[in-house]
Every structure is written in structure tokens, then in C-alpha cells.
Amino acid sequence: MKMKCKEIQNKLCAYLDDELTSDKKSAMNTHLKTCKICWDMAETYMKIDKLLTILPEPPSNPYFYTRLRAKFPFREREEKITWIEKILLPISTAVVVCLGIFIGILVGKNGNGLSTQFSNESEIDQTFYLENFNDFPSSSFGEIYFELISQTESQEGGIL
Amino acid sequence: MKKTQKNHLLEMNEAELIIRVKNGDEKAFRIIVERYQQSIISLCFRYVSNIHDAEEIAQNVFIHLYRAAKSYEPRAKLSTFLYRIAVNLSLNWIRDQKRKRFISWEVLKKERGLDPIAHEYSNPDMLLERKEKQNKIRNAVNSLPRNQRTAVILHRFQGLSYGEIAEVMKCSVSAVEARLYRAKQNLIKRLKPLLKTYNI
């Protein structure tokens, strides 16, 4: 197979990159052995290839995946969240609300009965340990003093 | 137990890994990322000449892959698919940057510090000379028409064969051959002064 210079130069890149079929390659070989112009051209192409290797490679980053992961929410997590958000959260909220209403009604019923169950105020105090909130301990001077004062005040009020 | 599972995943081929990613397996996704991250970053770096932007684009490439995993059909090689996305995103980035036309001095300074070869050159003159040479070559590659530049980057820097480049660029092998030929002609014109002083 005989090839002309123009044809050879068009195929030179593919020849140097080893991308030609074996018969084309051997035809190129025979031409390059005898043609100085094509040989010089091949050398220039090789120089260009060599020059390109001067450009530095970028450094590798060991945190690349960590950064990617931080940037990107994975579907696994998304799906779990949406499932919880869509079904479990509304149901649990509704249950809690219903339970709250039910307990409220129950407590309300019991609260109405308080006044009928405990007629005496001191009885209520004793039952719910309200005595503990008194300022003075029981049968102390302070308590006796305030009891006397309150008694006299009520008597005076009754007279007036 | 966990180690053996990871080894098992490492031995898996691309199609199996993609099926696992489709089902939301993050470990399989991580293996794909680790397998291709450096070549994708390197490819993006050739377009944008800035490591931070290259990593940002590479992250978007993998996000694209994750989102496209459900509809992904393993007709082409996974690497071809990734390279195609990387090329498109890098070209989009360049287009957006042309609009902004803003180069931060701080970024440039950092970039200069990131050159791994710089540490090997103790002589500042030699280092400067090399930097200048690199800039000239980079500018010459960047000034190539879009298709020629992509062909050169995929072939010279990523080591793809003509057939693989044709798949990434969705063209024929002879078109790739022609693009590389024209790219070399253009590079010879632009790098003439450098070629005169350069011996192989």
C-alpha cells in the first residue's frame, strides 16, 4: 500500500497513538523511513505530546467523599424521613391529642366532684397536703398568733 | 464481617454496583466515587485550571450519577457516562465564568501553592521558567475550539482510546481522529517558540 505525504500527515496522530490497523501501520513505516518531511512532522507531533505532559496533575483530596456526602442527602435517609413524616408523625400526633382530650375530660369529671366530696376546707387541705404550704409550722407561735388575729378579724367583720 | 462485605463490593463490576446504587446502597456509591474521583477531578481540572472548582464540578458529576442511577441503562461503560457528564458540566462552568470574568487574587495565589511540582524546584528561576511554560501550554490548550480541546484532554490527559472518546463525544472514530489532527496543527502554531527550544 503506497501513501502520499498529505495522507501520511493526516494519519500521523493516529499512527503515533497506535490507533491504526497493522497494514496501514506498516505502510506508514515504509514511508517514514524514506520521507524527511513526514519524519520531521512526526517528531514535531511527538514534541507537542511531550510538552503536554509538563502540565501538573491535580493533587488528590482524601476528604472528597466526606465533602460530597455532606453536600448530598442520600435517598436512603430521605426515604426514611419521608416515611416517618408522612405516616408515623400524623398518627402519633393524633393519638397524643386524643389521649390529652380523654384525660382532660376524666380529670374534669373528678374535679366537679371535689366540692361535693370535701365540704370542709381543712379536710381538703389535709387530703391534698395543702398544709405544707402554710407559712408557719403547725402549733408554732406564729400559727397561733395568725389564727387569733384572723378569728378577731372575722368577729369584728361579723359585728360590723 | 464488614470487611468481607467491603471486599465483596470492591470486586463487583460496574453494572452490579449501579444496581446496588439504584436500590439506595450508599457503600456501592462510595466505591464508584472512590474508583473514579481522581480521573474525574483531573478531567475537570484540565478545563477549569483551578482545583477547587474542579472538585466542585466533580462532586456535581457524582450527584448527577446518583440521581440518574434509577434510569441508568448500562449500554455504555460507566466511565464513558461519567466523562460525558464531566465534560458537559465543565464546559457549562466555563460558559458561566466567561459571564462573570472575575479572578480572585487569593485563589490564584493558592493555586500557585498547590502545584506539586513546585516543591521539586528549589531554584526560583527554574520554577518561574517552568510556570511560564505551563501557562503557555495551558493557554494554548484552552484556546482550542471546544471539540478539539475535549478530544485532546480525553486522549492526552485521561488516556482514552479513540473509540472511547468517540463514545463520550457521541461522534465517529474518524471524527475524533480529525479533531486530534486539527488540534495538533493548532497547538504547533501556538507553541512554535516553545517547540524550537524543546528537545525530545
Side-chain angles (χ1 to χ4, degrees), chain B residues 1-12 20 25 27 31:
Chain B
M1 180 74 185
K2 273 188 176 176
K3 246 188 177 178
T4 51
Q5 197 195 350
K6 201 182 177 187
N7 285 342
H8 173 66
L9 281 170
L10 282 170
E11 285 160 11
M12 272 187 178
R20 278 177 171 261
D25 185 344
K27 279 175 194 158
I31 285 165

PDB file of all heavy atoms in Angstrom, chain B residues 1-12 20 25 27 31:
ATOM      1  N   MET B   1     -16.562  -9.241  59.404  1.00  0.00           N
ATOM      2  CA  MET B   1     -17.789  -9.399  58.612  1.00  0.00           C
ATOM      3  C   MET B   1     -17.967  -8.201  57.667  1.00  0.00           C
ATOM      4  O   MET B   1     -18.206  -8.337  56.489  1.00  0.00           O
ATOM      5  CB  MET B   1     -18.971  -9.522  59.581  1.00  0.00           C
ATOM      6  CG  MET B   1     -20.325  -9.705  58.881  1.00  0.00           C
ATOM      7  SD  MET B   1     -20.481 -11.356  58.211  1.00  0.00           S
ATOM      8  CE  MET B   1     -22.031 -11.231  57.371  1.00  0.00           C
ATOM      9  N   LYS B   2     -17.793  -6.983  58.295  1.00  0.00           N
ATOM     10  CA  LYS B   2     -17.940  -5.764  57.495  1.00  0.00           C
ATOM     11  C   LYS B   2     -16.850  -5.686  56.430  1.00  0.00           C
ATOM     12  O   LYS B   2     -17.093  -5.246  55.325  1.00  0.00           O
ATOM     13  CB  LYS B   2     -17.871  -4.543  58.403  1.00  0.00           C
ATOM     14  CG  LYS B   2     -19.215  -4.180  58.982  1.00  0.00           C
ATOM     15  CD  LYS B   2     -19.153  -2.877  59.718  1.00  0.00           C
ATOM     16  CE  LYS B   2     -20.531  -2.500  60.210  1.00  0.00           C
ATOM     17  NZ  LYS B   2     -20.490  -1.276  61.008  1.00  0.00           N
ATOM     18  N   LYS B   3     -15.633  -6.104  56.814  1.00  0.00           N
ATOM     19  CA  LYS B   3     -14.507  -6.059  55.896  1.00  0.00           C
ATOM     20  C   LYS B   3     -14.763  -6.941  54.680  1.00  0.00           C
ATOM     21  O   LYS B   3     -14.499  -6.549  53.542  1.00  0.00           O
ATOM     22  CB  LYS B   3     -13.241  -6.511  56.624  1.00  0.00           C
ATOM     23  CG  LYS B   3     -12.220  -5.400  56.761  1.00  0.00           C
ATOM     24  CD  LYS B   3     -10.932  -5.900  57.300  1.00  0.00           C
ATOM     25  CE  LYS B   3      -9.924  -4.756  57.343  1.00  0.00           C
ATOM     26  NZ  LYS B   3      -8.669  -5.197  57.902  1.00  0.00           N
ATOM     27  N   THR B   4     -15.269  -8.140  54.930  1.00  0.00           N
ATOM     28  CA  THR B   4     -15.506  -9.064  53.820  1.00  0.00           C
ATOM     29  C   THR B   4     -16.575  -8.517  52.893  1.00  0.00           C
ATOM     30  O   THR B   4     -16.499  -8.672  51.684  1.00  0.00           O
ATOM     31  CB  THR B   4     -15.916 -10.453  54.338  1.00  0.00           C
ATOM     32  OG1 THR B   4     -16.979 -10.285  55.263  1.00  0.00           O
ATOM     33  CG2 THR B   4     -14.756 -11.195  54.969  1.00  0.00           C
ATOM     34  N   GLN B   5     -17.564  -7.825  53.490  1.00  0.00           N
ATOM     35  CA  GLN B   5     -18.628  -7.244  52.663  1.00  0.00           C
ATOM     36  C   GLN B   5     -18.050  -6.148  51.770  1.00  0.00           C
ATOM     37  O   GLN B   5     -18.395  -6.044  50.600  1.00  0.00           O
ATOM     38  CB  GLN B   5     -19.701  -6.658  53.572  1.00  0.00           C
ATOM     39  CG  GLN B   5     -21.004  -6.409  52.821  1.00  0.00           C
ATOM     40  CD  GLN B   5     -21.954  -5.514  53.590  1.00  0.00           C
ATOM     41  OE1 GLN B   5     -21.731  -5.212  54.756  1.00  0.00           O
ATOM     42  NE2 GLN B   5     -22.999  -5.096  52.928  1.00  0.00           N
ATOM     43  N   LYS B   6     -17.119  -5.344  52.339  1.00  0.00           N
ATOM     44  CA  LYS B   6     -16.498  -4.276  51.564  1.00  0.00           C
ATOM     45  C   LYS B   6     -15.642  -4.860  50.440  1.00  0.00           C
ATOM     46  O   LYS B   6     -15.678  -4.375  49.317  1.00  0.00           O
ATOM     47  CB  LYS B   6     -15.665  -3.384  52.485  1.00  0.00           C
ATOM     48  CG  LYS B   6     -15.445  -2.023  51.857  1.00  0.00           C
ATOM     49  CD  LYS B   6     -14.603  -1.121  52.660  1.00  0.00           C
ATOM     50  CE  LYS B   6     -14.399   0.180  51.891  1.00  0.00           C
ATOM     51  NZ  LYS B   6     -13.460   1.053  52.537  1.00  0.00           N
ATOM     52  N   ASN B   7     -14.889  -5.914  50.765  1.00  0.00           N
ATOM     53  CA  ASN B   7     -14.072  -6.566  49.739  1.00  0.00           C
ATOM     54  C   ASN B   7     -14.937  -7.106  48.617  1.00  0.00           C
ATOM     55  O   ASN B   7     -14.597  -7.005  47.448  1.00  0.00           O
ATOM     56  CB  ASN B   7     -13.268  -7.705  50.373  1.00  0.00           C
ATOM     57  CG  ASN B   7     -12.108  -7.166  51.186  1.00  0.00           C
ATOM     58  OD1 ASN B   7     -11.700  -6.033  51.022  1.00  0.00           O
ATOM     59  ND2 ASN B   7     -11.595  -7.989  52.078  1.00  0.00           N
ATOM     60  N   HIS B   8     -16.066  -7.654  49.018  1.00  0.00           N
ATOM     61  CA  HIS B   8     -17.008  -8.189  48.040  1.00  0.00           C
ATOM     62  C   HIS B   8     -17.505  -7.085  47.109  1.00  0.00           C
ATOM     63  O   HIS B   8     -17.579  -7.258  45.892  1.00  0.00           O
ATOM     64  CB  HIS B   8     -18.180  -8.836  48.801  1.00  0.00           C
ATOM     65  CG  HIS B   8     -19.293  -9.287  47.922  1.00  0.00           C
ATOM     66  ND1 HIS B   8     -19.140 -10.312  47.003  1.00  0.00           N
ATOM     67  CD2 HIS B   8     -20.570  -8.858  47.817  1.00  0.00           C
ATOM     68  CE1 HIS B   8     -20.287 -10.477  46.372  1.00  0.00           C
ATOM     69  NE2 HIS B   8     -21.171  -9.625  46.842  1.00  0.00           N
ATOM     70  N   LEU B   9     -17.792  -5.924  47.708  1.00  0.00           N
ATOM     71  CA  LEU B   9     -18.244  -4.778  46.908  1.00  0.00           C
ATOM     72  C   LEU B   9     -17.138  -4.281  45.980  1.00  0.00           C
ATOM     73  O   LEU B   9     -17.397  -3.918  44.840  1.00  0.00           O
ATOM     74  CB  LEU B   9     -18.687  -3.637  47.824  1.00  0.00           C
ATOM     75  CG  LEU B   9     -20.068  -3.751  48.461  1.00  0.00           C
ATOM     76  CD1 LEU B   9     -20.257  -2.689  49.524  1.00  0.00           C
ATOM     77  CD2 LEU B   9     -21.170  -3.630  47.437  1.00  0.00           C
ATOM     78  N   LEU B  10     -15.896  -4.289  46.502  1.00  0.00           N
ATOM     79  CA  LEU B  10     -14.766  -3.807  45.705  1.00  0.00           C
ATOM     80  C   LEU B  10     -14.546  -4.651  44.459  1.00  0.00           C
ATOM     81  O   LEU B  10     -14.107  -4.157  43.429  1.00  0.00           O
ATOM     82  CB  LEU B  10     -13.496  -3.790  46.559  1.00  0.00           C
ATOM     83  CG  LEU B  10     -13.344  -2.625  47.542  1.00  0.00           C
ATOM     84  CD1 LEU B  10     -12.187  -2.873  48.485  1.00  0.00           C
ATOM     85  CD2 LEU B  10     -13.152  -1.313  46.821  1.00  0.00           C
ATOM     86  N   GLU B  11     -14.851  -5.944  44.601  1.00  0.00           N
ATOM     87  CA  GLU B  11     -14.649  -6.846  43.462  1.00  0.00           C
ATOM     88  C   GLU B  11     -15.791  -6.775  42.442  1.00  0.00           C
ATOM     89  O   GLU B  11     -15.690  -7.332  41.361  1.00  0.00           O
ATOM     90  CB  GLU B  11     -14.515  -8.286  43.982  1.00  0.00           C
ATOM     91  CG  GLU B  11     -13.163  -8.537  44.639  1.00  0.00           C
ATOM     92  CD  GLU B  11     -13.180  -9.738  45.564  1.00  0.00           C
ATOM     93  OE1 GLU B  11     -14.153 -10.505  45.546  1.00  0.00           O
ATOM     94  OE2 GLU B  11     -12.205  -9.887  46.323  1.00  0.00           O
ATOM     95  N   MET B  12     -16.863  -6.121  42.817  1.00  0.00           N
ATOM     96  CA  MET B  12     -18.028  -6.075  41.931  1.00  0.00           C
ATOM     97  C   MET B  12     -17.769  -5.268  40.660  1.00  0.00           C
ATOM     98  O   MET B  12     -17.012  -4.297  40.698  1.00  0.00           O
ATOM     99  CB  MET B  12     -19.190  -5.417  42.661  1.00  0.00           C
ATOM    100  CG  MET B  12     -20.026  -6.366  43.442  1.00  0.00           C
ATOM    101  SD  MET B  12     -21.437  -5.516  44.079  1.00  0.00           S
ATOM    102  CE  MET B  12     -22.233  -6.878  44.868  1.00  0.00           C
ATOM    103  N   ARG B  20     -26.941  -1.798  42.770  1.00  0.00           N
ATOM    104  CA  ARG B  20     -26.984  -1.547  44.217  1.00  0.00           C
ATOM    105  C   ARG B  20     -27.260  -0.072  44.517  1.00  0.00           C
ATOM    106  O   ARG B  20     -28.000   0.249  45.445  1.00  0.00           O
ATOM    107  CB  ARG B  20     -25.653  -1.963  44.859  1.00  0.00           C
ATOM    108  CG  ARG B  20     -25.622  -3.462  45.119  1.00  0.00           C
ATOM    109  CD  ARG B  20     -24.297  -3.871  45.688  1.00  0.00           C
ATOM    110  NE  ARG B  20     -24.343  -5.251  46.117  1.00  0.00           N
ATOM    111  CZ  ARG B  20     -24.538  -5.634  47.376  1.00  0.00           C
ATOM    112  NH1 ARG B  20     -24.690  -4.761  48.331  1.00  0.00           N
ATOM    113  NH2 ARG B  20     -24.570  -6.916  47.695  1.00  0.00           N
ATOM    114  N   ASP B  25     -28.010   1.817  47.916  1.00  0.00           N
ATOM    115  CA  ASP B  25     -26.857   1.338  48.689  1.00  0.00           C
ATOM    116  C   ASP B  25     -25.739   2.391  48.634  1.00  0.00           C
ATOM    117  O   ASP B  25     -25.115   2.595  47.588  1.00  0.00           O
ATOM    118  CB  ASP B  25     -26.376   0.003  48.099  1.00  0.00           C
ATOM    119  CG  ASP B  25     -25.261  -0.623  48.936  1.00  0.00           C
ATOM    120  OD1 ASP B  25     -24.666   0.096  49.763  1.00  0.00           O
ATOM    121  OD2 ASP B  25     -25.000  -1.824  48.754  1.00  0.00           O
ATOM    122  N   LYS B  27     -22.852   2.361  50.201  1.00  0.00           N
ATOM    123  CA  LYS B  27     -21.497   1.793  50.149  1.00  0.00           C
ATOM    124  C   LYS B  27     -21.073   1.562  48.692  1.00  0.00           C
ATOM    125  O   LYS B  27     -19.929   1.832  48.322  1.00  0.00           O
ATOM    126  CB  LYS B  27     -21.452   0.483  50.925  1.00  0.00           C
ATOM    127  CG  LYS B  27     -21.314   0.690  52.404  1.00  0.00           C
ATOM    128  CD  LYS B  27     -21.384  -0.624  53.136  1.00  0.00           C
ATOM    129  CE  LYS B  27     -21.589  -0.376  54.623  1.00  0.00           C
ATOM    130  NZ  LYS B  27     -22.152  -1.523  55.315  1.00  0.00           N
ATOM    131  N   ILE B  31     -17.930   3.313  46.588  1.00  0.00           N
ATOM    132  CA  ILE B  31     -16.895   2.589  45.835  1.00  0.00           C
ATOM    133  C   ILE B  31     -16.757   3.171  44.423  1.00  0.00           C
ATOM    134  O   ILE B  31     -15.650   3.375  43.931  1.00  0.00           O
ATOM    135  CB  ILE B  31     -17.192   1.081  45.827  1.00  0.00           C
ATOM    136  CG1 ILE B  31     -16.834   0.524  47.211  1.00  0.00           C
ATOM    137  CG2 ILE B  31     -16.411   0.341  44.736  1.00  0.00           C
ATOM    138  CD1 ILE B  31     -17.355  -0.821  47.518  1.00  0.00           C
TER     139      ILE B  31
END
